[in-house]
Amino acid sequence: MTAAAVELTPRRRTWSSFRRNPLGVASGLLLLLLALVAICAPLIAPFPEGYGADTSQPPSSAHWFGTDDIGQDVFAQVVWGTRVSMAVGVSASVLAIVIGLLIGVCAAYFRRLDTPLGVLVDLSLSLPVLPLMILVAALAGPSVRTLAVVIALFSWPEVARVVRSQALAIVPMPFVSAAKVVGGSSLWIVRKHLLPGVVPVVGVSVVLTTSRAVLSEAGLSFLGLGDPNSWSWGTILHKAQQSGALASAWWTTLFPSLAILLLVLSTTLLSVAYNDARNHRSDT
Amino acid sequence: MRRAVLLTALAVALTACAPSVPGSSGSSGSPGAQAPASADRLTIGTTADVVNYNPLVGNSRTDSWVTDLMYPKLTQMDATGKRIPYLATEWSYSEDGKTATAKLRDDMKWSDGKPVTASDVVFSVTAVQKEKFGVVAGLITALDEAEAVSPTEVRFKLSRPDGTFLDNVGFWLPVVPEDVFSKAPSVQKFANDKDWVSAGPFKLTKVERGQRYIMDRVDDFGPGKPTVKQVVFRVFPDVNTEVLALRNGEIDMIGNVLPPATATELKSDTAVKLQEIPSLGWAHLQYNTKRKPLDDVRVRQALAHAVDYEAIRNIALKGFAKSSNSSVLTPSLPQWTDQASKEYAFDPEQSKKLLAEAGQTNLRLGMIYDQADPNIARWAPMVRDAAKKAGITIELQGLERNTYLDKTTKRDFDIYAGSWAVMDNPPANLGLAFKSGGFINYAQVEDPKLDDLIDQAQRALTQEEAKPPIQEAARMIHDQVYDNVLYVETFNVAHSAKWTGFQPMPSELLSILNPLSLAAAKPAG
């Protein structure tokens, strides 16, 4: 039990039980597909700009997802939107994980920091996140970078809390005390024992934080705080709402919403599948 | 069987208990039932609450719509922007232009029974002059003193001849009851949020914040008894929900202007009638003439040649926009327009040539606009994409409204994309917009020759006299690209086909819900 997480055999066992979960595998594949679409966007569709003569056309063979009120192809918008939405999601989540990991591990290992950091985390968790995000995004001016930073700034506390509780269980372990006795520096112990111990929770956290970040991005962009120079799923929804065509041109809202739904659903299913596989509930 | 009876009884009881919704027309019968409208109630959808009941201060659209029905003005405007009588029956200037006189009608009464007299007009204009607030203050700088010659005659003494004075005061100044407003220590800070004493065709009787504003007919309204007994403003979250409510028959009119795409869609609905209302303002790009390289007229001309005007009008506005031939004298005010003005052609090659002459390569500029303005948000990317063809990079800065306003007042931008709502009197408005130090001189124009021309036009006492200098000024603004006018919007306002008799007037402030129009509205058929 002691070093279960770092040994190779349990990892393999996790993998094999994950493979047996069709929902998990399908979600993983879907995420891969979305990532592929994001990376290969220029190969799939031209960047949506300018205007076209076919305005507000329903889906057809020429325009798979129809066109919007200035004649741009909604399919191209969704494809390029995948890029920005996922980029913002992933970078915000990476940023949040780094901050959260740092604070969580510090709080668990350095006992004196636990209380102040705990207060900080509790405080951040109790903040009204959405209004604050709107405020910061509005003041900083809309750009992809601002969005990523703003979302990260408000998503790390969850990560910190999860990491801290996991690390708290590792700190009193005999091997950590042993490492201290042989004179290992704090940094070395954190790196060699604490970090590997919390990596599995972080893995789940990355996926969930990404999906939350994508949702936040869509929300902020829908409110008009997105980057006007690029496309994201939220931006498409925002433009559809602004054009006043919400009721008539259903295709302008359905497809970006579907993309958001697919991403959030598959990340949730993936993390559930991963968690189940790691805890080996099916084995017992 | 017994249970069924019980259920029916319950259902009946429930229906009886359901709160009746004043403000939804056809309260009996299902929504959407095409019963003919009765003259009892006209319900208007709006998207905002009344924030300010003090008509001298209020400036949001809903504020103006409601208070305009309560407080009379000296004059109204006809469909071409010319002033027509309202409280004033006639008005004129003295020979030297330093005295202006207005004669008032004698049959208007405040709701407390007292007559509307010249001293109310004098009080209103003096209060604004003393405390310097609102739109009017900036328009009456020529005023020395106003006095009531008789209960039905006001005389304005001016410090200099100003031919725009009566037009401005007549159209912009709401007349408020002296008895009520003079009790407040500061007229500007007077909230006027209860026990209203008004003199318009309707009086505000009930307010449910966030829900509805109920206004009742004034039977002895001087210019004529309104047909409709009650006008109700209902508050909706956005235009989309207003459209649904109009189609369901819950409301009879949408106060807000429809987005072009919605207007196109509603055209085919026979239950809804669209009224086209010309805008008195215009949408434009302004180049900050105090920033390099925009201080070079060739760079500004290059930018003017790098906008696809036709595409913006036809695609972003769905054709609900007119060309103004790049002139600030728009076709909405036909008596002022200059037929000789020509629109800048969309010609990227010409732009490149001009830029090369000015020694500019890789020009990069930022463009600020209000992200929440649906039309501008739609054409801003089109401006960027067209400029790209001329080798100009425009970076869009779609900002949240307050940030945008802040940057505008600080003149902190390269290019400003926006629109002016009501420019009803060219000599006065061009003064505010293009004279050195003008209140809305966003482009920071400082041109002594232009200042002279505008001054000359303002001094002229008749429109004929003011026309030549103002046309000359407009030509300068065109040639120097102090303003790049993109289009004059044609607003679409929707009302139920069950109503008729509206008197549309230009601008979204007046449209079909100006006092005279609502007083004249009646059920169709």
Side-chain angles (χ1 to χ4, degrees):
Chain A
M1 144 116 197
T2 46
V6 280
E7 276 176 26
L8 214 65
T9 343
R11 195 175 285 178
R12 260 194 205 142
R13 207 190 304 155
T14 304
W15 173 233
S16 72
S17 88
F18 177 79
R19 258 188 326 196
R20 283 199 300 275
N21 185 341
L23 268 183
V25 174
S27 308
L29 286 178
L30 195 64
L31 277 182
L32 270 182
L33 181 76
L34 283 175
L36 215 68
V37 167
I39 293 164
C40 307
L43 303 177
I44 302 172
F47 185 77
E49 59 179 353
Y51 41 85
D54 305 333
T55 55
S56 300
Q57 298 285 314
S60 64
S61 57
H63 302 286
W64 292 354
F65 290 0
T67 59
D68 72 357
D69 62 315
I70 62 166
Q72 288 184 357
D73 187 35
V74 179
F75 176 71
Q77 292 176 353
V78 172
V79 166
W80 282 84
T82 313
R83 199 169 230 216
V84 171
S85 288
M86 291 200 61
V88 170
V90 169
S91 50
S93 133
V94 166
L95 213 63
I97 296 284
V98 169
I99 304 174
L101 200 62
L102 218 68
I103 288 184
V105 167
C106 285
Y109 187 75
F110 304 106
R111 305 298 305 173
R112 258 180 305 163
L113 288 180
D114 194 18
T115 319
L117 287 179
V119 170
L120 181 70
V121 169
D122 285 341
L123 207 77
S124 314
L125 276 176
S126 59
L127 287 177
V129 176
L130 184 64
L132 274 177
M133 276 204 228
I134 293 173
L135 189 75
V136 176
L139 290 180
S143 78
V144 172
R145 203 181 312 146
T146 315
L147 277 182
V149 172
V150 167
I151 294 168
L153 280 184
F154 291 101
S155 335
W156 63 265
E158 282 99 342
V159 185
R161 175 161 277 199
V162 173
V163 167
R164 175 182 166 274
S165 57
Q166 179 75 11
L168 269 184
I170 300 172
V171 173
M173 292 279 174
F175 62 85
V176 175
S177 312
K180 267 185 199 157
V181 170
V182 294
S185 72
S186 299
L187 193 68
W188 183 80
I189 297 173
V190 166
R191 213 178 59 221
K192 276 289 170 193
H193 293 295
L194 237 55
L195 283 184
V198 297
V199 157
V201 257
V202 168
V204 177
S205 217
V206 168
V207 178
L208 284 181
T209 314
T210 307
S211 85
R212 264 208 309 271
V214 169
L215 272 182
S216 304
E217 192 279 335
L220 288 177
S221 297
F222 179 67
L223 294 175
L225 297 164
D227 186 350
N229 296 299
S230 63
W231 287 96
S232 82
W233 296 333
T235 312
I236 308 175
L237 291 173
H238 172 65
K239 296 214 165 164
Q241 198 253 356
Q242 266 196 334
S243 72
L246 271 191
S248 55
W250 52 267
W251 53 91
T252 52
T253 46
L254 176 74
F255 294 107
S257 311
L258 263 186
I260 297 173
L261 174 78
L262 281 182
L263 183 114
V264 174
L265 192 70
S266 58
T267 48
T268 313
L269 288 177
L270 182 77
S271 51
V272 167
Y274 175 70
N275 238 351
D276 286 353
R278 198 166 59 86
N279 289 333
H280 315 302
R281 273 196 215 115
S282 48
D283 293 356
T284 52
Chain B
M1 182 61 204
R2 202 186 147 81
R3 184 184 280 178
V5 172
L6 257 177
L7 274 178
T8 322
L10 193 68
V12 169
L14 274 178
T15 329
C17 285
S20 71
V21 185
S24 63
S25 62
S27 50
S28 64
S30 61
Q34 296 296 319
S38 78
D40 287 348
R41 184 186 293 133
L42 176 77
T43 309
I44 304 168
T46 176
T47 52
D49 267 299
V50 176
V51 180
N52 212 319
Y53 294 97
N54 185 338
L56 295 169
V57 180
N59 51 16
S60 88
R61 283 185 201 106
T62 312
D63 288 5
S64 309
W65 292 337
V66 171
T67 56
D68 275 0
L69 293 182
M70 299 163 66
Y71 301 96
K73 289 174 178 169
L74 289 176
T75 59
Q76 270 279 357
M77 197 184 273
D78 72 1
T80 62
K82 257 182 74 183
R83 302 302 192 264
I84 51 172
Y86 185 4
L87 178 59
T89 48
E90 46 188 291
W91 49 91
S92 60
Y93 292 98
S94 67
E95 198 75 13
D96 65 354
K98 287 179 124 181
T99 314
T101 329
K103 293 218 169 82
L104 311 184
R105 55 190 307 148
D106 56 3
D107 54 358
M108 299 267 286
K109 270 199 216 109
W110 295 109
S111 51
D112 60 2
K114 293 179 186 142
V116 180
T117 63
S119 63
D120 291 311
V121 178
V122 171
F123 169 77
S124 307
V125 75
T126 312
V128 173
Q129 186 194 21
K130 261 195 212 144
E131 296 181 34
K132 288 201 174 32
F133 61 91
V135 200
V136 183
L139 296 168
I140 56 166
T141 49
L143 178 67
D144 244 353
E145 184 191 10
E147 58 173 335
V149 183
S150 77
T152 55
E153 187 172 337
V154 191
R155 188 182 298 150
F156 302 97
K157 287 193 178 140
L158 309 179
S159 56
R160 57 183 145 89
D162 181 358
T164 68
F165 182 83
L166 281 173
D167 267 16
N168 286 333
V169 166
F171 178 66
W172 287 104
L173 181 81
V175 177
V176 297
E178 180 178 11
D179 287 350
V180 180
F181 279 63
S182 63
K183 286 192 187 112
S186 152
V187 174
Q188 182 183 7
K189 297 206 177 100
F190 182 50
N192 189 35
D193 52 1
K194 55 178 189 298
D195 307 328
W196 298 277
V197 173
S198 61
F202 295 90
K203 55 175 189 273
L204 189 59
T205 48
K206 199 168 170 212
V207 169
E208 294 168 44
R209 261 198 83 73
Q211 301 289 319
R212 57 185 64 81
Y213 295 80
I214 299 172
M215 306 186 79
D216 286 334
R217 166 169 78 188
V218 174
D219 287 342
D220 52 359
F221 177 60
K225 180 176 163 183
T227 320
V228 192
K229 272 194 193 143
Q230 195 174 59
V231 168
V232 178
F233 283 87
R234 267 185 70 185
V235 184
F236 287 86
D238 69 348
V239 178
N240 289 311
T241 41
E242 283 178 315
V243 171
L244 289 177
L246 179 67
R247 288 186 140 175
N248 288 339
E250 280 174 52
I251 56 175
D252 303 305
M253 183 206 292
I254 298 176
N256 307 80
V257 165
L258 299 177
T262 315
T264 323
E265 183 197 325
L266 278 181
K267 263 190 174 167
S268 54
D269 192 329
T270 51
V272 171
K273 276 233 163 75
L274 292 183
Q275 289 271 6
E276 291 199 345
I277 311 278
S279 167
L280 279 178
W282 60 82
H284 57 165
L285 300 173
Q286 290 214 293
Y287 309 114
N288 194 337
T289 57
K290 285 273 176 290
R291 281 211 182 161
K292 282 197 185 310
L294 294 168
D295 54 344
D296 188 334
V297 65
R298 289 169 297 188
V299 176
R300 297 199 296 270
Q301 284 169 344
L303 282 161
H305 279 297
V307 180
D308 191 347
Y309 303 94
E310 274 297 307
I312 289 177
R313 288 192 290 264
N314 290 336
I315 297 186
L317 281 120
K318 305 263 175 246
F320 293 120
K322 280 185 190 148
S323 165
S324 181
N325 298 322
S326 297
S327 169
V328 289
L329 301 173
T330 68
S332 300
L333 299 172
Q335 67 274 34
W336 294 98
T337 46
D338 179 3
Q339 303 300 335
S341 190
K342 284 250 173 335
E343 184 161 73
Y344 278 94
F346 173 44
D347 185 352
E349 290 314 312
Q350 180 67 16
S351 293
K352 282 183 190 160
K353 226 174 86 191
L354 284 161
L355 285 179
E357 276 174 32
Q360 290 297 324
T361 46
N362 293 327
L363 188 56
R364 280 187 84 86
L365 298 163
M367 179 164 103
I368 64 162
Y369 61 97
D370 177 5
Q371 176 69 36
D373 185 312
N375 285 340
I376 297 179
R378 207 168 312 124
W379 55 252
M382 297 172 72
V383 170
R384 174 196 59 198
D385 298 342
K388 210 188 213 171
K389 290 185 184 145
I392 305 167
T393 313
I394 292 182
E395 216 161 296
L396 298 187
Q397 298 166 303
L399 302 169
E400 175 271 334
R401 185 165 176 77
N402 289 314
T403 324
Y404 159 80
L405 291 177
D406 184 52
K407 279 193 186 274
T408 312
T409 21
K410 288 189 184 141
R411 315 291 194 250
D412 178 15
F413 59 82
D414 297 331
I415 305 176
Y416 158 95
S419 59
W420 278 330
V422 182
M423 302 293 254
D424 57 302
N425 182 305
N429 300 130
L430 297 192
L432 293 178
F434 301 104
K435 256 174 78 171
S436 315
F439 175 55
I440 47 171
N441 185 349
Y442 299 149
Q444 309 199 68
V445 179
E446 273 182 39
D447 190 329
K449 205 175 148 216
L450 184 63
D451 290 358
D452 263 3
L453 286 168
I454 295 173
D455 280 341
Q456 218 177 311
Q458 286 184 347
R459 273 196 306 271
L461 297 181
T462 58
Q463 197 260 332
E464 292 74 35
E465 216 181 309
K467 194 169 169 176
I470 214 67
Q471 287 196 338
E472 180 63 35
R475 273 193 289 276
M476 272 189 80
I477 294 169
H478 172 280
D479 296 344
Q480 294 288 321
V481 204
Y482 289 143
D483 195 7
N484 186 7
V485 184
L486 303 181
Y487 59 83
V488 175
E489 187 171 354
T490 306
F491 297 127
N492 280 284
V493 180
H495 64 83
S496 156
K498 289 185 274 183
W499 288 88
T500 179
F502 295 107
Q503 295 177 3
M505 297 196 189
S507 96
E508 50 183 327
L509 282 181
L510 303 176
S511 79
I512 54 170
L513 35 66
N514 64 78
L516 300 186
S517 168
L518 285 186
K522 56 177 190 279

